[in-house]
Amino acid sequence: MIRLFDRKPAADAATFAEAQALLDDGLPIDDVLDLFSAEAAWLEPLLRTTTTIRETTAAEQPSYYFEASLKQKFLAAARREPRTAPAPMLPIPSRAPVSPRAGLRTAFAGSAVAGVAAAIGALTLGFITSDDAVPGDWNYTFKLANERLEYSLSRGGGRIDIQLGQTEARVRELQVLASSGAVSPADIQRLQNDARELEKLARSNQLDEIQRGRIEVITGSSVKVLEGVAQKQPDLQPAVVTTITTVNDTAMAAGVGGAATIEPLPTLTPAPTATPKPDSDTSSATAGTATPAPGTATPAPTGTPSPTATAHDSDTSSTVTGTPPSNTPTP
Amino acid sequence: MTQTPVDALAPEFDEYAVVEAARGGDELALSRLYEHYFPKVYRYVNSRLAAAEDAEDVTEEIFLRVIHNLGSFTWRGLPFGAWLFRIARNEVVSHVRKQKTRAPTAELTEFIPDPSQDYTLVIEQQMTVAMIREAAERLPEAQRQVIALRFGAGLTVAETAQALKKTENNVKVLQHKAIAKLQTMVVLE
């Protein structure tokens, strides 16, 4: 009969090898044949042949004298041979005795690797978690570094957006710090620097509506936050005034100037002396509504109750607002 | 007594550790190496050579060559056993070549019957061995090598393949063909 689907010789060889491997592992021949019942007919004589070969070969044992004498020759020859240093990839050093110097080297290398890994981890963690950091936080430096990198890599309109974001971040930081009265001059200086940078960009670039809107919001919120800072920490008043000036300059450069005003600081208002005298009738009547002439910064002399009543710099007031001052002296 | 690295080894034969310790001159490791491989090597050589004296001579040559070359042995993805059996195979082949050039000599037997053993069984066994060896002599060299390593030295298919620099499939096919031929040549009772 012609076998259309005759097995390849390699398949028979694989089956035989598999059965022989089971036999090698100690399985009785009958059990192996049970496992290969379909092939048992042709497997059995082969497996019995190999069993016989193995048994007869194993029966031929070397003499004990030969084995022992060869061992002595083997060891003697080994003593004559120059010794070889173990391979560098030896996997047994943990079990082998280690010299103190090698132990120190291993410890040093291990700690160095651990240190580098910790540094990389801290850097990564710092950059990831630095978005909400405020001055004084451990990762605030990462935030500034990240901002610098972003700014350096940006160009054109993208740079304006980044600078806007950074200035907004400074305002938020001041707001957080101001709530606990922990603002430092350096914190205010940072806002001032960013506002100045923004002013430069506003002057040299054409801003779109969104960017102008953001500047307007920054200006308004900056003034509000800075006034709060000055109320809580009067010693920061000079820095506050200068920064508000800078913020307003930025607003002016962006074409949204005039929105920000400087509220009089309570600590700076000398209440008793600011009260106008009843006999200075015209001055007191016009003081609250005094409108400075366009381009003139100084309010009408009659609007000022007395020279000592105005605590803030009149120049600053004029350059910032250009609008009617809202700092009405208290009656 | 000082503890050597080999003393601390697991009871199983850790080839890498033992070989490395032996290369460093550790006598205990050298002993373990010898004890582990001697039976396999001897059976392999004995299955290839007719005379027991020849098998002893060649086995001795193999182990002396191993110790001489142990320093130059490097791990290249192959077990030490594969390297050792390549040396063994070369020595056997070299011995067979030398033997063919010599004039055939009458074989002297040193067999002394032991009265405590069943003499008939021993004779039968010797006859079987002689018959198998004679049949194996008629096999092609590649098949004889495989049979000697697989059933003489007791190596696995993978170890045999490594020792002979062949693929495992190749060894399986050679093994199958050799045993199929031996089966027809040797009449087993």
Side-chain angles (χ1 to χ4, degrees):
Chain A
M1 191 179 81
I2 300 170
R3 294 174 68 185
L4 291 174
F5 302 102
D6 201 1
R7 290 165 63 86
K8 291 179 180 176
D12 284 345
T15 306
F16 170 60
E18 207 175 322
Q20 183 60 46
L22 292 171
L23 209 61
D24 294 345
D25 289 342
L27 208 65
I29 191 166
D30 292 335
D31 293 351
V32 175
L33 290 171
D34 283 346
L35 288 171
F36 293 89
S37 53
E39 288 92 359
W42 63 269
L43 265 183
E44 186 176 4
L46 298 183
L47 294 178
R48 293 209 182 277
T49 304
T50 57
T51 306
T52 306
I53 293 171
R54 178 156 287 165
E55 283 171 357
T56 50
T57 311
E60 287 196 313
Q61 293 293 327
S63 73
Y64 176 77
Y65 172 76
F66 168 67
E67 186 176 353
S69 65
L70 180 55
K71 186 176 179 180
Q72 290 307 312
K73 285 180 188 174
F74 180 74
L75 294 175
R79 281 184 219 112
R80 287 195 298 271
E81 292 292 330
R83 290 186 178 188
T84 323
M89 293 296 287
L90 187 66
I92 54 167
S94 58
R95 289 175 175 177
V98 182
S99 72
R101 186 175 288 181
L104 277 175
R105 271 203 304 271
T106 307
F108 179 74
S111 59
V113 169
V116 169
I120 291 170
L123 278 171
T124 311
L125 191 67
F127 277 109
I128 289 171
T129 60
S130 64
D131 273 357
D132 297 326
V134 294
D137 287 352
W138 69 275
N139 51 357
Y140 186 66
T141 313
F142 292 106
K143 184 180 183 176
L144 294 182
N146 208 14
E147 285 179 355
R148 270 188 227 112
L149 183 68
E150 274 185 332
Y151 185 83
S152 309
L153 296 174
S154 61
R155 291 286 179 274
R159 177 168 281 192
I160 296 170
D161 287 334
I162 284 171
Q163 187 57 47
L164 277 166
Q166 292 179 8
T167 314
E168 286 164 355
R170 295 296 89 76
V171 178
R172 279 197 298 275
E173 289 163 16
L174 275 182
Q175 197 172 9
V176 171
L177 294 171
S179 63
S180 57
V183 179
S184 71
D187 302 331
I188 298 173
Q189 185 64 43
R190 274 192 214 100
L191 173 59
Q192 194 180 340
N193 293 343
D194 276 328
R196 193 167 288 135
E197 192 64 36
L198 191 58
E199 183 194 351
K200 282 182 199 168
L201 289 170
R203 287 191 194 285
S204 58
N205 291 279
Q206 187 70 36
L207 303 184
D208 58 30
E209 282 304 312
I210 296 173
Q211 288 167 340
R212 273 202 291 272
R214 285 175 76 180
I215 290 178
E216 196 170 0
V217 171
I218 287 172
T219 308
S221 54
S222 298
V223 171
K224 195 174 176 184
V225 169
L226 285 167
E227 282 176 354
V229 169
Q231 279 177 358
K232 281 193 175 179
Q233 295 173 264
D235 54 312
L236 296 176
Q237 182 190 326
V240 166
V241 171
T242 314
T243 306
I244 287 177
T245 306
T246 309
V247 168
N248 279 309
D249 287 346
T250 306
M252 295 282 281
V256 293
T261 56
I262 302 176
E263 295 292 335
L265 303 172
T267 52
L268 303 178
T269 308
T273 54
T275 307
K277 290 175 184 176
D279 55 350
S280 56
D281 50 352
T282 54
S283 66
S284 62
T286 57
T289 57
T291 305
T296 56
T298 313
T302 54
T304 308
S306 74
T308 56
T310 308
H312 58 78
D313 187 0
S314 60
D315 288 344
T316 306
S317 147
S318 63
T319 52
V320 168
T321 64
T323 55
S326 62
N327 48 345
T328 310
T330 51
Chain B
M1 194 176 97
T2 56
Q3 194 182 40
T4 63
V6 176
D7 290 330
L9 292 174
E12 294 81 25
F13 184 76
D14 184 347
E15 187 181 73
Y16 190 97
V18 172
V19 169
E20 285 303 314
R23 291 179 71 196
D26 186 286
E27 286 228 353
L28 188 56
L30 285 161
S31 291
R32 289 200 63 180
L33 204 63
Y34 176 83
E35 285 160 12
H36 183 75
Y37 283 109
F38 173 79
K40 293 180 177 185
V41 171
Y42 179 80
R43 284 203 298 271
Y44 164 70
V45 176
N46 194 46
S47 67
R48 291 297 316 274
L49 304 175
E53 296 77 22
D54 287 347
E56 289 183 358
D57 288 347
V58 172
T59 304
E60 185 176 325
E61 278 298 313
I62 291 166
F63 276 96
L64 293 179
R65 195 166 286 275
V66 164
I67 204 70
H68 184 66
N69 292 299
L70 193 59
S72 61
F73 169 75
T74 51
W75 299 95
R76 289 175 183 166
L78 285 178
F80 177 78
W83 178 77
L84 189 147
F85 273 99
R86 280 178 193 170
I87 291 177
R89 188 192 59 175
N90 291 339
E91 283 299 314
V92 168
V93 170
S94 172
H95 180 83
V96 171
R97 280 181 187 153
K98 281 180 200 165
Q99 220 175 20
K100 281 180 180 171
T101 58
R102 289 187 210 141
T105 53
E107 193 175 324
L108 293 173
T109 178
E110 291 177 0
F111 176 72
I112 302 168
D114 183 350
S116 64
Q117 284 187 333
D118 185 348
Y119 185 70
T120 317
L121 272 179
V122 174
I123 293 292
E124 277 181 4
Q125 191 183 62
Q126 282 195 335
M127 286 176 69
T128 311
V129 170
M131 194 165 54
I132 290 171
R133 190 173 282 136
E134 193 185 328
E137 287 296 316
R138 283 183 270 165
L139 294 173
E141 175 62 21
Q143 292 178 17
R144 279 165 56 193
Q145 292 282 3
V146 169
I147 295 302
L149 287 171
R150 281 285 286 123
F151 305 108
L155 302 190
T156 63
V157 169
E159 289 167 342
T160 306
Q162 287 168 342
L164 296 177
K165 291 185 182 176
K166 292 182 186 296
T167 65
E168 287 187 29
N169 280 338
N170 203 344
V171 169
K172 284 176 186 174
V173 171
L174 287 170
Q175 169 185 264
H176 180 237
K177 284 181 177 172
I179 295 297
K181 279 183 193 168
L182 281 176
Q183 180 211 339
T184 57
M185 287 191 281
V186 179
V187 181
L188 299 169
E189 291 184 2

